[in-house]
Amino acid sequence: MKIDYAKIDEVNGEITVTLEEKDYADKVKKQLKEIGKKHAEPGFRPGHVPSGLIQKKYGAAVKYDIINQEVGNAVFDYIKENKLHVLGNPVPQQNDDFNINAADFTLKFKVGIAPEFDTHVNKDLHVPYYTIKVSDEMIDNQDQMFSRRFGKQEPGDTVDATALVKGVISELDENGEPKEGGVVVENGIVSPQYFKSEDQRELFMGKKVGDIVRFNPAATCDSNATEMSSMLNIEKSEVENHKGDFNLDIKEIIVLKPAEHNQEFFDMVFGADKVHNEEEYRAALKEMLVAGLANDSNYRFTIDARNTISARAHV
């Protein structure tokens, strides 16, 4: 991993992180292996799910999380080691060319740099520090996130927001009839929750096994060649020739069942034997949120302190 810093002006800088595959590959493999040990898939018991299926289903998400963690830690370590006097948190720059399937990544972060000025600070200077209150709604939202993350997939009756939909995907002609010589995927699978088009997503909601859904694969992913190639089992070079409508004859629906609040769940969220019941669980969630929100309070205080001190310096 390589990290560079460039000063833009007196109060702004840019940190560039170059990440190679060797910097994160082992951690991704380890995390996927752990998932394979704990998660069951239709037709497979925990610990017996083929690694290829785990990679296909969870690989991109795990890779994104690991890269995000590695880069975030590297940026904050660099700031600390080089004693950069930053204001607030580094802000990642938008990268429209980011592709999670790539091997190497270059990510840039803008940082605010504390300006140098002379002033006098004494006991008469007062700057308020605001503590963000954690509400029950915030705790409930955090609980829902963990319940989904550690939930299990199982056969469902209808397509909901969490569902994987399996069936035969068949290309249609301009008249809505099966296209002669068109693409047919016997074991197709789609996940409407990840569609970029809400209209395409809604076509599947509430549908049951045996229903046929007419949809447009290109519209589900903004014509992304990689996603269309995977969905339709065709080469990327062929994608441009298959941007019309398709039917999906639903054969199976897999939905996510949120994890039950038991000791196994508590251990997965907070570590072994740290939480033992619902009351302790919610208290631990609150403590987690308080710790996270402290960064926001510190950022607000930093801005207020800077403005107050700066104003006094110019009096």
Side-chain angles (χ1 to χ4, degrees):
M1 186 184 304
K2 181 181 178 183
I3 304 180
D4 296 308
Y5 171 72
K7 187 175 181 179
I8 299 175
D9 53 40
E10 292 303 316
V11 294
N12 291 286
E14 182 179 77
I15 296 176
T16 302
V17 181
T18 302
L19 193 70
E20 298 180 350
E21 188 172 20
K22 63 183 180 181
D23 296 318
Y24 62 83
D26 289 344
K27 292 183 179 180
V28 171
K29 290 179 181 178
K30 181 179 179 180
Q31 184 64 32
L32 289 175
K33 187 176 180 180
E34 289 299 316
I35 292 175
K37 291 179 180 178
K38 298 177 181 178
H39 284 255
E41 296 293 335
F44 300 98
R45 292 178 290 120
H48 296 272
V49 182
S51 59
L53 179 59
I54 293 294
Q55 171 65 39
K56 181 177 181 181
K57 188 171 181 181
Y58 300 103
V62 170
K63 182 178 178 181
Y64 181 87
D65 287 343
I66 294 294
I67 289 174
N68 187 54
Q69 182 179 14
E70 291 295 303
V71 172
N73 290 339
V75 169
F76 283 104
D77 287 345
Y78 182 88
I79 291 172
K80 182 178 180 180
E81 293 170 3
N82 291 272
K83 298 180 179 179
L84 296 180
H85 301 294
V86 302
L87 299 174
N89 292 321
V91 178
Q93 295 193 45
Q94 182 174 340
N95 183 0
D96 294 331
D97 296 326
F98 181 83
N99 180 7
I100 193 61
N101 296 311
D104 302 333
F105 302 88
T106 298
L107 305 171
K108 297 179 181 293
F109 298 80
K110 283 190 175 181
V111 290
I113 305 298
E116 297 181 2
F117 56 86
D118 295 324
T119 187
H120 299 284
V121 178
N122 55 39
K123 294 181 179 179
D124 296 330
L125 180 66
H126 297 283
V127 180
Y129 183 89
Y130 301 100
T131 301
I132 302 173
K133 182 179 179 181
V134 175
S135 66
D136 287 339
E137 181 180 1
M138 294 166 68
I139 295 175
D140 290 340
N141 290 338
Q142 188 72 24
D143 166 51
Q144 290 175 15
M145 184 192 72
F146 281 129
S147 296
R148 286 170 56 88
R149 178 186 297 181
F150 296 105
K152 296 181 179 179
Q153 290 184 312
E154 58 183 29
D157 296 323
T158 60
V159 178
D160 63 18
T162 71
L164 292 173
V165 184
K166 300 181 179 182
V168 181
I169 301 176
S170 306
E171 190 171 14
L172 305 176
D173 60 22
E174 60 275 9
N175 298 316
E177 299 296 329
K179 185 176 182 178
E180 184 176 353
V183 172
V184 176
V185 186
E186 294 291 343
N187 297 304
I189 180 170
V190 299
S191 183
Q193 63 181 310
Y194 296 116
F195 287 176
K196 291 182 173 63
S197 167
E198 184 175 351
D199 290 340
Q200 291 295 313
R201 187 182 307 116
E202 286 300 319
L203 293 175
F204 286 85
M205 294 301 103
K207 294 297 189 290
K208 302 178 183 296
V209 172
D211 288 343
I212 297 177
V213 180
R214 179 171 177 172
F215 75 114
N216 187 284
T220 68
C221 60
D222 292 337
S223 298
N224 182 280
T226 300
E227 294 187 37
M228 288 188 63
S229 171
S230 176
M231 183 187 299
L232 301 179
N233 196 23
I234 58 177
E235 298 294 330
K236 291 183 182 180
S237 58
E238 301 176 19
V239 164
E240 287 297 324
N241 300 321
H242 303 282
K243 290 191 173 182
D245 285 351
F246 283 69
N247 274 344
L248 196 159
D249 185 357
I250 300 176
K251 303 298 184 183
E252 185 179 5
I253 298 170
I254 305 297
V255 296
L256 178 66
K257 180 182 179 182
E260 296 182 4
H261 287 191
N262 51 33
Q263 192 60 49
E264 180 184 6
F265 172 69
F266 296 149
D267 289 348
M268 286 191 293
V269 176
F270 290 107
D273 209 32
K274 296 293 180 60
V275 171
H276 307 90
N277 53 52
E278 187 71 18
E279 183 179 357
E280 291 181 6
Y281 169 66
R282 290 186 67 83
L285 287 178
K286 183 176 182 179
E287 184 177 344
M288 174 189 291
L289 290 168
V290 167
L293 292 172
N295 290 328
D296 295 326
S297 294
N298 292 338
Y299 179 55
R300 178 71 259 174
F301 177 77
T302 300
I303 294 174
D304 291 343
R306 181 189 63 186
N307 292 339
T308 302
I309 295 172
S310 179
R312 172 170 287 201
H314 292 89
V315 173

